[in-house]
């Protein structure tokens, strides 16, 4: 175990800097866009553009990695994404921001793919689950910590510079590593129709998770602004939500190992829907109760995708895992691109508080669908069904039943 962690340390250190930059970038773009006069719907479209680039990157960056290798591709992507962020800072024209967001999504999904495929190669089979659990914790903890950088004073350009610095710093541990690069495998195929017939709850859950989390990343800071929070308060509010994902994902994942995963998805979605509805009744977003509610909502929301992947893997052979991971990522990415558009329009046309109505309706629909599928077909729970926390970033997700 310790040897695997030591080998993976450069990758995990790069992940810290990278995810801090990404977490800060998401929130800052929403807040800076509001300062520039962009509507909620326009900011939602910026988030959708990011996830559109995310989808494009799943097809383009693996081919680049195949040509020049992991280290060179990583250095190329981190350098270019830092340039893209600075271009966005220099030119506050909405059309330019849309293009830059597409490029950011394209480049960042490539970086995630490199990190996760490399971790897959260096982790020993007997400790792979633990290594990826640490990776998940690093992802969400870095994103939560980054929200506190919103306290840095200065114009919007300053935080864009901080993001660019973090992206550049992310390249250093990987470029300096003495570890050999993993072999590049062929790009897996996408099989939406076949996998939907095999495990429809998994794909529906991945899609709804995208609808929820896409709106979460792009629009929750705007909701916090509408509820009267300042920059420091928004950072704390976002950190509480992401912290819920850090602390609750593992126990909820283990819970899904003990019962049918569709029933677990239904129960977790019910709690998420209730948390969203409770949030509508709160007078402000900055109180202790509001922080507890958003912590619970974040913990439930960040758990849905990895449990959906685990449910899908329950029905697959090992040689199908990469193809299945690519497919479920694609479905999740489509939801992540559509979610901010629809939720942003809802907030713009009606009220910002309706963001949590969006969350409640989606989680309620998923709870009902998962429960319906549970009543249609039973799954036998075996001792081999072991959950691994996953972050919905790349097509290189591991088998959640790996030892």
């Amino acid at each position: 175990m310790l040897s695997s962690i030591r080998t993976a340390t450069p990758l995990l250190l790069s992940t810290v800097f990278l995810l801090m930059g990404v977490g800060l970038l998401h929130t800052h773009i929403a807040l800076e866009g509001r300062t520039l006069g962009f509507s909620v719907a326009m900011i939602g479209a910026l988030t959708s553009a990011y996830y559109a680039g995310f989808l494009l990157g799943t097809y383009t960056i693996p081919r680049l990695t195949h040509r020049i290798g992991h280290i060179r591709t990583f250095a190329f992507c981190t350098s270019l994404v830092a340039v893209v962020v600075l271009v966005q800072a220099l030119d506050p024209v909405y059309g330019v921001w849309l293009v830059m967001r597409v490029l950011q999504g394209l480049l960042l999904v490539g970086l995630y793919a490199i990190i996760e495929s490399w971790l897959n190669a260096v982790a020993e089979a007997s400790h792979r689950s633990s290594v990826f659990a640490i990776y998940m914790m690093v992802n969400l903890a870095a994103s939560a910590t980054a929200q506190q950088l919103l306290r840095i004073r200065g114009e919007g350009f300053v935080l864009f510079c901080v993001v660019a610095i973090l992206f550049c710093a992310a390249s250093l541990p990987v470029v300096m590593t003495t570890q050999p690069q993993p072999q590049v495998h062929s790009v897996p195929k996408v099989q939406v129709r076949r996998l939907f017939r095999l495990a429809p709850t998994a794909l529906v859950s991945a899609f709804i998770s995208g609808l929820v989390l896409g709106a979460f990343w792009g629009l929750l800071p705007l909701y916090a602004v509408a509820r009267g929070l300042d920059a420091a308060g928004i950072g704390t509010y976002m950190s509480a939500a992401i912290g819920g994902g850090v602390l609750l994902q593992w126990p909820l994942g283990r819970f899904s190992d003990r019962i049918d995963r569709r029933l677990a998805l239904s129960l977790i979605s019910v709690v998420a829907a209730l948390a969203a509805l409770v949030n509508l009744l709160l007078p402000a977003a900055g109180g202790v109760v509001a922080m507890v509610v958003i912590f619970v909502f974040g913990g439930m929301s960040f758990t849905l995708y990895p449990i959906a992947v685990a449910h899908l893997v329950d029905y697959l052979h090992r040689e199908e895992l990469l193809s299945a991971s690519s497919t479920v990522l694609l479905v999740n990415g489509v939801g992540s691109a559509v979610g901010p558009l629809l939720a942003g329009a809802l907030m713009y046309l009606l009220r910002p508080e309706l963001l949590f109505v969006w969350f409640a309706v989606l989680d309620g629909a998923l709870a009902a669908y998962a429960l319906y599928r549970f009543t249609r077909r039973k799954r036998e729970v075996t001792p081999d069904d072991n959950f691994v926390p996953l972050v919905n970033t790349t097509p290189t997700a591991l088998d959640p039943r790996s030892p």
Side-chain angles (χ1 to χ4, degrees):
M1 172 64 180
L2 291 179
S3 62
S4 295
I5 296 299
R6 282 195 297 268
T7 303
T9 296
L11 293 170
L12 295 174
L13 186 57
S14 288
T15 300
V16 170
F17 291 119
L18 185 66
L19 268 296
M20 286 184 68
V22 173
L24 178 59
L25 181 64
H26 283 322
T27 306
H28 181 54
I29 284 177
L31 299 178
E32 186 65 12
R34 179 179 178 274
T35 301
L36 293 173
F38 300 161
S39 68
V40 176
M42 294 170 70
I43 295 173
L46 288 174
T47 305
S48 297
Y50 170 81
Y51 284 107
F54 217 71
L55 297 176
L56 293 174
T58 61
Y59 292 98
T60 57
I61 300 301
R63 289 173 171 81
L64 179 64
T65 307
H66 186 269
R67 288 180 55 194
I68 64 176
H70 284 67
I71 293 178
R72 289 182 178 179
T73 304
F74 196 94
F76 173 83
C77 289
T78 50
S79 299
L80 187 54
V81 76
V83 171
V84 168
V85 168
L86 293 176
V87 169
Q88 187 175 4
L90 291 171
D91 195 346
V93 176
Y94 183 73
V96 174
W97 277 37
L98 275 175
V99 175
M100 294 303 103
R101 285 300 272 165
V102 172
L103 292 176
Q104 288 163 12
L106 187 153
L107 294 167
L108 288 170
V109 74
L111 291 168
Y112 297 145
I114 291 169
I115 291 174
E116 291 187 15
S117 62
W118 206 330
L119 284 176
N120 186 14
V122 302
E124 300 175 6
S126 58
H127 300 131
R128 190 169 291 147
S129 296
S130 299
V131 171
F132 266 76
I134 293 172
Y135 170 65
M136 183 279 299
M137 299 288 287
V138 167
N139 267 273
L140 294 179
S143 296
T145 302
Q147 307 306 312
Q148 301 307 311
L149 297 177
L150 292 170
R151 300 173 182 269
I152 296 177
R153 297 182 180 275
E155 298 181 357
F157 181 81
V158 174
L159 285 180
F160 278 121
C161 290
V162 173
V163 171
I165 291 171
L166 289 170
F167 285 154
C168 291
S171 69
L172 300 180
V174 167
V175 171
M176 294 179 63
T177 185
T178 58
Q179 298 295 329
Q181 298 183 82
Q183 295 181 352
V184 180
H185 301 287
S186 59
V187 180
K189 297 180 180 180
V190 174
Q191 300 178 336
V192 175
R193 182 177 301 178
R194 176 182 175 275
L195 294 181
F196 182 79
R197 289 198 302 265
L198 190 64
T201 307
L203 295 193
V204 170
S205 298
F207 179 69
I208 292 180
S209 174
L211 290 172
V212 170
L213 290 180
F216 172 93
W217 286 114
L219 300 175
L220 190 63
L222 300 182
Y223 165 85
V225 169
R227 298 301 296 271
L229 295 184
D230 58 12
I234 294 169
T236 302
Y237 191 68
M238 294 293 293
S239 295
I242 302 169
V246 175
L247 297 179
L248 298 183
Q249 188 159 162
W250 182 266
L252 289 176
R254 296 302 297 170
F255 169 69
S256 76
D257 289 338
R258 302 294 182 261
I259 63 175
D260 190 294
R261 297 198 202 280
R262 291 163 299 181
L263 183 58
L265 285 167
S266 181
L267 294 174
I268 291 170
S269 297
V270 165
V271 176
L274 291 175
L277 292 175
V278 169
N279 192 83
L280 292 172
L281 304 176
L282 298 177
V288 175
V289 176
M291 292 297 177
V292 173
V293 170
I294 198 64
F295 175 89
V296 173
F297 176 78
M300 301 299 117
S301 299
F302 280 107
T303 310
L304 293 176
Y305 178 81
I307 293 179
V309 174
H311 173 62
L312 178 62
V313 170
D314 289 337
Y315 296 92
L316 297 176
H317 299 293
R318 185 169 294 274
E319 61 271 15
E320 299 177 289
L321 294 179
L322 287 179
S323 175
S325 297
S326 294
T327 301
V328 75
L329 175 80
L330 177 65
V331 171
N332 180 261
V334 171
S336 298
V338 173
L341 281 177
L342 299 180
L346 187 67
M347 294 172 68
Y348 174 72
L349 295 175
L350 299 174
R351 295 165 50 196
E353 290 81 3
L354 291 182
L355 176 62
F356 277 87
V357 174
W358 170 262
F359 292 150
V361 170
L362 289 174
D363 287 321
L366 177 56
Y369 181 80
L371 184 61
Y372 165 73
R373 292 300 308 174
F374 170 71
T375 61
R376 291 290 302 274
R377 183 173 63 175
K378 304 294 184 182
R379 178 179 74 90
E380 181 181 353
V381 181
T382 69
D384 294 330
D385 292 336
N386 297 319
F387 173 84
V388 171
L390 297 172
V391 180
N392 46 327
T393 53
T394 80
T396 55
L398 288 176
D399 178 2
R401 298 175 299 176
S402 299

